[in-house]
Amino acid sequence: MPTEEELFTAVDALLEGEPQLPSPAERARLREAAGVTQARLAQVLKSTTQTVKNWENGRSEPRPPRLQAYQRLLEGWAAKYPLAPVPETLPGPDSVEQPAAPRTPHEPALPSAASAPDPVRAASPARPSASRRPAAKKAASKSASRPAASPAIVDERFANGPLAVLDGEGSAYCVGGLVLDCPAKTFPVLVDWALSEAKLGAPRLNRHGKDADPLIVLTDVAAERLGLPAVLEDRRGLRLAEDHKVVKQLAKAKWKLTKRGFGPWARVYRPAEGGKRQCVQFAILPWGALDTRSWGDTGQLPPADVAAVLGTYATRVLTPRGSTAVCGLELMSALRPPTRAVKDAATGSWVSGPNPGSLTEPVDPAPPEAPAEHPLVASLYPRHHVRTPDQVIDEEAYDWFRPLTDEECTQGYTHAVGIDVNMAFAAAANRLVIGTGPATHVKNPAFDPKLPGSWLVDLSHIETDPRLPSPFTPKGTRPTGPAWYSTSTVAYAVELGAPVRPSEAYVRYEHGAYFDAWYTRLRDAYMATMADLGVEAGLSEADFLAAMARHKSPDPGQAAVLSAIKSTVKGGIGKLRERPQSIKHKFGEPWPALQRPTWSPHARAELIGKVRTNQHRKLMAWARSGLFPVAILSDCAVYLSRGPSPLDFMPHTPEGKPLPGGFRLGVSPGMVKHEGTRDFLWLAQTIEDEQINPARHIKGDDAPDSGE
């Protein structure tokens, strides 16, 4: 007879091998929520309409390979069109997570207990007063009158939206022009109001995740009214002193602060009780909570407009809970939570377990992937040792330019025109496979493009045209010997037809397309915001350029949302390899970021390697038609032109179509837009006399960084 352990092992293997689809009714609900017909779904899955009908009425089940594709589609729809949230058992920010029992894929959703009437609240005469005040409407701009689209199913717990912006007169401005009366004059009372009466927050983005906490944004006058100083004295730590009266008030009321204290983004909480989370996020505008590099002048707008901008971002991306870089990282975890509730076979109770396909726990990087301060590197090399390419991976975006040829100087070029790839780093994240587990060190491996990791290989024998940058180094110079590269880069070398023979590698046998949901949500947010600004998909090249020339003028609020979305992408990727932030950090000692499952320099290297090789592939397509760049900075390429517009130099087929495989004008991520134009003499002087990359200033010397 088999033992119990053998049976459990066999059952677990079966569960892991067969995708778990939702119930037939749920499949139909998700398809209808997405606005897709059965015929269209059948076309996508290369099946028949009757087969899809059978799947949705339970008469049959899909089989591989359609099974995996159908499951992936349903999971994507489930993330965008969730059922009413189930009750959660979640901790305070600094406590140990105790998950709630999950709903199985075939189990229908039950009404949330959290949305049931609270007997204590019902007995209380104090209720939030909502109004559509004329004064509020007058203060709100066009952006405030055009809120983001509401979800199809409204969660009554969060009926008033994800956030509120307080003015100095007791008014709380919410999404859509809604104004609540907030009687709070102290922080403890404000926290209680936000949790018990305001009905603020947002449903979780993944059924294994957690709902977004209410966000309360304080204007200058509101902060002063609640006893906060106009300026933080601690400019290094960016936090209130422990003996400040506001901190004391919160402590006396049994509220806690996270380890970062009370700063521009403060989180106030109590440990969860009875499965109910008690946590409020604060953004203090006079302390610089909204960085102008990401949010523009949003922090200086009237409260109703601030609510409109942040509300749109919260609806399309997630409720802000820090800088846009923090939001980019938090969005990864919100869409792919590290843990889920699993049943303990020994005790029968629900416990926290790893969530398949996610970054579930902190993992040490491979030595060549780690930054110099990391304990792994500090134990291998002296303090001031400069690692060589065969000791450290150097996957960064391009920073390259070249001298002009004699022919280029005599061909009558009048302009230098820059084109910039839309959301280049987000586009590279789509379908990118990264490691979700530890690295395994192997000697003399055969290169496998399906294994993410780092490879020590000599690519110096691969020749490229001197008018193009090398695809293997950020500076575009030819490698001089063996060096460490990500799988993305080595796979491109193979694509170019070069033989590769790695001498060693650190590979990840546990891997997956971790960024897919992250990319999809940010892409949709970007496209919706661009559409609000008048730039829609499907425009002709000329119409697209015209729309881009005016897209930030009509609605500065939506322009701020767009800037924040771009910064979320770039900042989130940067956080994957966050280096020590504290002045107290000692070289070679661990720092707090290393404790995050999402701290993964390997993932960052794979993604940036893919950005660079994607770009080089398109450069090659144009080079075959005789068109070569003169400079590249990150995702911006500069070309010589006889006119000021990209249409004056971009190659096309005889039918007038964009050249296949090259850059294409358009709004979608991965397509390009006009970055800027300068005259030819400026370009020549910048390159020959100043030895400066002209792509850095193609928009103009004083033009701000777009954040992409």
Side-chain angles (χ1 to χ4, degrees), residues 126-130 160 180-181 193 196-199:
R127 302 289 296 169
S129 174
N160 294 329
L180 305 177
D181 289 328
W193 174 83
S196 62
E197 299 182 36
K199 290 189 175 181

Side-chain angles (χ1 to χ4, degrees), residues 623-636:
R624 286 190 288 270
S625 70
L627 199 61
F628 294 88
V630 294
I632 301 174
L633 182 69
S634 187
D635 44 12
C636 173

Side-chain angles (χ1 to χ4, degrees), residues 149-167:
S150 300
I153 302 176
V154 177
D155 191 323
E156 286 301 318
R157 296 174 300 161
F158 314 126
N160 294 329
L163 55 88
V165 182
L166 294 189
D167 65 7

Side-chain angles (χ1 to χ4, degrees), residues 313-371:
Y313 180 89
T315 304
R316 293 177 179 172
V317 183
L318 85 167
T319 304
R321 57 192 69 176
S323 67
T324 49
V326 169
C327 292
L329 200 68
E330 291 285 342
L331 182 62
M332 297 178 195
S333 297
L335 293 168
R336 289 191 180 272
T339 60
R340 64 173 181 174
V342 296
K343 201 166 188 177
D344 189 318
T347 64
S349 60
W350 292 99
V351 297
S352 180
N355 188 19
S358 297
L359 298 175
T360 59
E361 61 183 359
V363 174
D364 283 337
E369 299 165 353

Side-chain angles (χ1 to χ4, degrees), residues 179-511:
V179 183
L180 305 177
D181 289 328
C182 177
K185 296 182 179 180
T186 66
F187 265 94
V189 175
L190 178 56
V191 173
D192 287 334
W193 174 83
L195 291 173
S196 62
E197 299 182 36
K199 290 189 175 181
L200 297 174
R204 67 194 74 183
L205 298 179
N206 182 289
R207 67 190 187 96
H208 298 305
K210 58 188 178 184
D211 297 330
D213 300 315
L215 170 62
I216 304 296
V217 183
L218 302 183
T219 59
D220 298 33
V221 287
E224 180 182 0
R225 183 188 186 202
L226 290 164
L228 294 178
V231 179
L232 273 178
E233 294 182 3
D234 181 3
R235 300 309 302 165
R236 186 177 298 277
L238 289 177
R239 64 177 64 191
L240 280 181
E242 295 294 329
D243 59 353
H244 191 277
K245 66 176 183 179
V246 168
V247 178
K248 289 183 176 179
Q249 287 173 356
L250 291 168
K252 185 177 180 180
K254 308 299 182 184
W255 290 105
K256 299 179 180 292
L257 295 169
T258 58
K259 293 179 181 179
R260 63 185 177 187
F262 200 107
W265 289 93
R267 182 167 290 182
V268 179
Y269 75 99
R270 286 176 183 155
E273 294 181 359
K276 187 176 181 181
R277 187 176 173 87
Q278 305 178 86
C279 186
V280 179
Q281 178 78 57
F282 289 94
I284 317 299
L285 295 185
W287 295 356
L290 299 180
D291 191 327
T292 55
R293 292 171 296 181
S294 301
W295 294 98
D297 296 328
T298 300
Q300 306 301 319
L301 297 175
D305 290 352
V306 175
V309 172
L310 296 183
T312 301
Y313 180 89
T315 304
R316 293 177 179 172
V317 183
L318 85 167
T319 304
R321 57 192 69 176
S323 67
T324 49
V326 169
C327 292
L329 200 68
E330 291 285 342
L331 182 62
M332 297 178 195
S333 297
L335 293 168
R336 289 191 180 272
T339 60
R340 64 173 181 174
V342 296
K343 201 166 188 177
D344 189 318
T347 64
S349 60
W350 292 99
V351 297
S352 180
N355 188 19
S358 297
L359 298 175
T360 59
E361 61 183 359
V363 174
D364 283 337
E369 299 165 353
E373 307 91 340
H374 196 279
L376 279 175
V377 180
S379 65
L380 294 175
Y381 305 103
R383 170 70 173 83
H384 297 289
H385 174 76
V386 178
R387 288 183 288 173
T388 54
D390 60 341
Q391 295 172 339
V392 60
I393 193 168
D394 186 23
E395 294 284 13
E396 300 293 343
Y398 272 131
D399 184 357
W400 168 88
F401 65 100
R402 63 172 175 83
L404 299 174
T405 66
D406 292 341
E407 183 182 5
E408 289 170 335
C409 293
T410 59
Q411 287 298 307
Y413 292 112
T414 57
H415 295 83
V417 180
I419 53 174
D420 183 80
V421 181
N422 302 322
M423 300 276 282
F425 292 92
N430 186 30
R431 300 305 301 146
L432 176 69
V433 176
I434 66 166
T436 56
T440 300
H441 187 215
V442 291
K443 287 283 191 179
N444 299 313
F447 176 67
D448 185 348
K450 295 181 180 179
L451 273 183
S454 300
W455 309 77
L456 182 59
V457 60
D458 189 350
L459 301 180
S460 61
H461 60 283
I462 303 176
E463 293 188 13
T464 56
D465 191 298
R467 292 170 293 179
L468 288 175
S470 166
F472 309 121
T473 64
K475 291 295 184 181
T477 56
R478 187 170 176 172
T480 57
W484 286 97
Y485 303 98
S486 68
T487 299
S488 299
T489 300
V490 182
Y492 185 61
V494 174
E495 181 182 325
L496 293 177
V500 295
R501 299 181 180 86
S503 57
E504 59 179 302
Y506 290 90
V507 296
R508 272 80 176 176
Y509 293 108
E510 298 175 36
H511 52 263

